[in-house]
Amino acid sequence: MRAIQITAFGGPEVLTEVELPDPVAGPGEVLIDVSRAGLNYADTHQAENSYLSSMTLPLVPGGEIAGVTADGKRVVALTSGGGGYAQKAVAPAATTFEVPDGVDDLTALSLVVQGATAWLLLRKSAHLAEGESVVVHAAAGGVGSIAVQLAKLWGAGRVIATASTEDKRKLALDLGADVAISSTEEDMTEALREANNGRRVDVVLDMTGGAVTDQSVAALAAFGRLVFYGMASRERPKPVQPVNLLVHSTAVIGMWLPHAFRLPGRVVHTAMDEMFQLVLDGKLRAVPGGEYGMSDVRQAHEDLRARRTSGKLLLDPNR
């Protein structure tokens, strides 16, 4: 089968197209003929081994796939430790979800990582209450574009989007954001207050890191929450001093999707079922961000790292 393999960690240059034997499903696993794989910013960390979980070589990257099982079911799945950038892949049955008729691969792949992340950020981590203001950094990206829509559907009083270009800010407004500001504002604290009609903000969803995180924490209202789920800038924010959280009774919370599968009650399955229904009801939509073939995968990672993308990126392993 055709696959992308990494034999040395690094940037996009380490992604190499190869022929590999078909994988074999073990106990509790499902073999899937991959029709599309998802391309995520986290994959760029995986390639350079700077992700939260360490990788081992050789590695076929990619954590999410859509395709068909041996018994003909259309599914979307999260793999275990990579394997997604290939024509065939195995995934744990526990992280494989049947896709309803009427939901295409793009939408299914938009939901399984980015959608589930957005759902958990708002419902489980931030515990969004009706009427609260929500800041969504990188609002035109995979998680951000879903989070903007869910926040509005769930009664947010004001959704404030940040994005790097005018086109991305327009997209965020089209998705339901009340206001969109530049992600390069020199004083993000003041910019967020101004965007919230002079008031501090209640919830911030942040995957940027660095000064954006520091200044967003400073913009939180009493009992405000910042949920930190990535570091796209590759710049670490300043250490949070617990005593400083007392000043406005604020909270800084971390969230990493794999931890949700350890929770009782099949929380991620609940999230997927709810979002599939919202899609079928016409209340939630995926934003297409472009499709790449196997020979273009290095370009895909370059585009991700340069933050030139918006919406959901797909890899076609048969092209």
Side-chain angles (χ1 to χ4, degrees):
M1 68 172 185
R2 296 173 70 194
I4 299 297
Q5 188 179 62
I6 296 170
T7 57
F9 292 119
E13 73 282 353
V14 304
L15 301 166
T16 304
E17 185 177 343
V18 297
E19 287 286 334
L20 294 176
D22 291 354
V24 177
E29 293 183 325
V30 180
L31 177 64
I32 299 169
D33 285 316
V34 180
S35 54
R36 296 292 187 276
L39 292 160
N40 295 304
Y41 194 87
D43 298 349
T44 69
H45 285 291
Q46 199 177 55
E48 63 185 18
N49 202 27
S50 61
Y51 201 46
L52 287 177
S53 57
S54 297
M55 302 290 109
T56 57
L57 298 174
L59 168 70
V60 175
E64 57 182 39
I65 53 176
V68 180
T69 62
D71 57 359
K73 292 179 181 176
R74 284 188 62 233
V75 297
V76 65
L78 298 177
T79 65
S80 179
Y85 290 12
Q87 291 179 308
K88 294 180 183 291
V90 296
T95 58
T96 298
F97 308 87
E98 192 165 351
V99 179
D101 292 339
V103 177
D104 59 18
D105 285 351
L106 167 70
T107 302
L109 284 164
S110 295
L111 298 182
V112 73
V113 169
Q114 282 99 342
T117 296
W119 192 99
L120 286 157
L121 289 170
L122 290 166
R123 279 269 169 89
K124 192 72 177 174
S125 297
H127 296 284
L128 175 66
E130 189 171 349
E132 289 189 314
S133 56
V134 179
V135 175
V136 182
H137 287 306
V143 175
S145 61
I146 301 292
V148 166
Q149 297 176 76
L150 291 179
K152 291 301 290 186
L153 285 169
W154 294 340
R158 189 167 178 81
V159 176
I160 301 162
T162 77
S164 59
T165 68
E166 185 175 348
D167 285 346
K168 290 182 178 182
R169 291 190 287 275
K170 182 179 183 302
L171 171 60
L173 293 171
D174 290 344
L175 293 171
D178 296 290
V179 61
I181 64 175
S182 173
S183 58
T184 59
E185 291 282 352
E186 186 173 344
D187 186 345
M188 184 60 72
T189 302
E190 182 58 32
L192 293 180
R193 290 178 185 171
E194 183 176 339
N196 199 34
N197 295 322
R199 300 187 298 271
R200 291 174 172 271
V201 297
D202 298 306
V203 172
V204 177
L205 308 183
D206 177 37
M207 52 80 68
T208 303
V212 169
T213 304
D214 300 331
Q215 294 176 12
S216 296
V217 170
L220 289 174
F223 296 98
R225 293 86 71 201
L226 181 142
V227 190
F228 187 73
Y229 67 100
M231 200 164 58
S233 68
R234 287 176 161 78
E235 296 177 2
R236 293 183 178 275
K238 294 176 182 176
V240 175
Q241 300 298 324
V243 68
N244 293 338
L245 301 178
L246 296 175
V247 176
H248 292 285
S249 296
T250 51
V252 176
I253 305 155
M255 204 288 285
W256 189 37
L257 180 61
H259 292 148
F261 289 96
R262 303 177 188 176
L263 297 173
R266 293 164 60 87
V267 171
V268 179
H269 287 76
T270 298
M272 293 295 290
D273 289 344
E274 183 175 344
M275 290 186 294
F276 279 144
Q277 191 59 54
L278 288 172
V279 169
L280 294 172
D281 292 343
K283 297 179 179 179
L284 181 67
R285 65 182 175 94
V287 177
E291 187 170 293
Y292 299 79
M294 290 290 237
S295 59
D296 303 320
V297 71
R298 291 183 181 181
Q299 183 63 53
H301 274 229
E302 289 172 3
D303 292 343
L304 281 163
R305 290 171 68 104
R307 302 178 75 176
R308 289 191 288 263
T309 67
S310 60
K312 184 61 186 173
L313 305 186
L314 300 182
L315 173 68
D316 181 349
N318 301 303
R319 180 165 68 84

